[in-house]
Structure formats: C-alpha cells, structure tokens
C-alpha cells in the first residue's frame, strides 16, 4: 500500500470527458495521490494521464459507487471528486446519494463540479 493519500474520482457519463481534461490539467497535483476511480472514469483518466496511480473499480451503477463509499467509511479515501450531471436522470441515483452522504458523514472534502475540484486541488 502506498503512503500517498487516496483520492476518489467519479464522473457521470456526460462529465467523463471533463474529468479527463481536469486530470490532464492537474496531473502534477494528482500525482501526489493514489487514485481510485469508477471503471470508465478511471479508464478515461488513465488514457489522458498514463503516469497516474489509478486503480479502476467497478462501474458506478454496477457497484463502483458503493465500493468507494466503503473506502470512505474505512478512512481509506480522504477526498472525493465527483463530476455530477444534474440534467440527466440516473437509474442509480440512490447509490449516488448514499455516496455523497458518506462523504458528508465522514467529513471528507468533496467536489461535485470542476470549479470546486480545482479549489480543492489547489489547497493540497
């Protein structure tokens, strides 16, 4: 296990490109973290930044959101960057709400859009 703090990256379908662009723009800052990401988001980030330490979990609707939620509950994930798409209905909305609730309960920094993610990355 790495001594680097762990950050989680998730993006809804319409935001995956934006997450990959964010990762590319902030690659140096993100290299200071061990990254866990839901399946497709992790793949897009790795395509943009092959040098980052990214562990891909399951796709969000197939349990990836819950895997990250468990990692937040055990203290393994210390920050959540989740680019949400508020304009598209999500069949797994319950999982999304549970994940953001856990980030709030365990009081970890959480960004739900790029502007906030950039502020969080700038402070680390």
């Amino acid at each position: 296990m790495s001594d680097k703090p762990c950050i989680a990256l998730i993006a809804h379908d319409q935001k995956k490109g934006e997450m990959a662009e964010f990762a590319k723009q902030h690659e140096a800052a993100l290299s200071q973290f061990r990254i866990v990401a839901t399946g497709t988001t992790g793949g897009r980030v790795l395509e943009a930044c092959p040098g980052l330490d990214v562990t891909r979990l399951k796709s969000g609707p197939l349990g990836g959101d819950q895997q990250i939620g468990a990692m937040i509950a055990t203290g393994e994930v210390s920050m959540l960057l989740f680019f949400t798409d508020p304009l598209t209905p999500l069949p797994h909305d319950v999982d999304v709400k549970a994940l953001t609730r856990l980030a709030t309960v365990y009081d970890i920094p959480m960004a739900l859009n790029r502007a906030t993610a950039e502020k969080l990355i700038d402070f680390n």
Side-chain angles (χ1 to χ4, degrees):
M1 174 111 52
S2 173
D3 288 336
K4 294 179 183 179
C6 185
I7 185 172
L9 304 181
I10 306 172
H12 286 146
D13 288 347
Q14 300 301 318
K15 299 290 185 171
K16 290 184 190 313
E18 187 175 342
M19 179 63 83
E21 290 171 15
F22 171 84
K24 188 69 178 162
Q25 183 178 355
H26 297 282
E27 187 170 2
L30 288 171
S31 70
Q32 303 304 308
F33 294 93
R34 185 171 57 87
I35 299 167
V36 293
T38 50
T40 308
T41 299
R44 295 285 299 270
V45 168
L46 279 171
E47 286 174 12
C49 308
L52 290 179
D53 178 11
V54 179
T55 300
R56 292 174 64 193
L57 304 174
K58 292 187 180 293
S59 168
L62 298 178
D65 294 337
Q66 292 178 345
Q67 285 179 294
I68 289 175
M71 294 172 81
I72 290 170
T74 60
E76 189 174 348
V77 167
S78 58
M79 185 186 310
L80 173 63
L81 304 184
F82 190 169
F83 289 6
T84 61
D85 178 10
L87 302 178
T88 303
L90 303 167
H92 67 292
D93 192 49
V94 172
D95 297 331
V96 171
K97 286 183 173 140
L99 178 61
T100 58
R101 184 179 70 75
L102 283 169
T104 302
V105 166
Y106 287 95
D107 199 27
I108 67 165
M110 172 177 53
L112 300 178
N113 60 38
R114 185 174 184 150
T116 307
E118 289 177 345
K119 296 292 184 192
L120 288 178
I121 289 297
D122 286 344
F123 285 113
N124 285 296

